[in-house]
Amino acid sequence: MVNYAQYQNKIPVIRNIVIENQSNDVYRNIILRASCDDEIINDSQIEISEIPVQNSIQIKDFDIDINSQKLSELTERIQTQIRFQLICEN
């Protein structure tokens, strides 16, 4: 749940993401992209240099770009989904 007070107080929407590489290949030049079908969240992304073989990385406080204008216009609760896409070079 996200509300305008949380946004104003800079409380993170996502506090922790773990990405595991269960393959036998090193993943390099990775982009983690978050998007949403409605306009509450603007597309956001971070770049990750690599994830070693059979290893994981932890991303803390992924900075989701909230559309404050749209959030402030809401008069009732809505449900939305955040979609994550992981894009890598290999």
Side-chain angles (χ1 to χ4, degrees):
M1 184 174 89
V2 178
N3 61 42
Y4 199 74
Q6 287 174 308
Y7 167 76
Q8 285 184 318
N9 289 309
K10 300 183 188 220
I11 296 173
V13 175
I14 298 173
R15 294 185 182 186
N16 190 35
I17 298 173
V18 175
I19 302 172
E20 294 184 14
N21 178 359
Q22 298 177 350
S23 76
N24 292 322
D25 299 317
V26 176
Y27 292 146
R28 291 189 173 88
N29 300 326
I30 305 157
I31 296 173
L32 176 61
R33 192 173 287 157
S35 60
C36 188
D37 288 337
D38 57 34
E39 298 173 355
I40 295 296
I41 295 171
N42 299 316
D43 289 354
S44 307
Q45 71 179 34
I46 61 165
E47 295 179 9
I48 303 162
S49 58
E50 73 174 35
I51 306 174
V53 173
Q54 299 295 320
N55 213 324
S56 63
I57 62 160
Q58 184 173 5
I59 301 166
K60 293 190 179 246
D61 298 334
F62 183 76
D63 189 20
I64 296 288
D65 183 19
I66 296 175
N67 183 336
S68 59
Q69 174 78 26
K70 185 76 173 175
L71 188 62
S72 69
E73 293 171 355
L74 292 177
T75 57
E76 59 187 55
R77 181 189 305 203
I78 66 165
Q79 271 192 326
T80 190
Q81 292 182 345
I82 301 172
R83 180 177 42 256
F84 290 95
Q85 183 179 20
L86 199 60
I87 305 163
C88 91
E89 183 178 88
N90 36 339

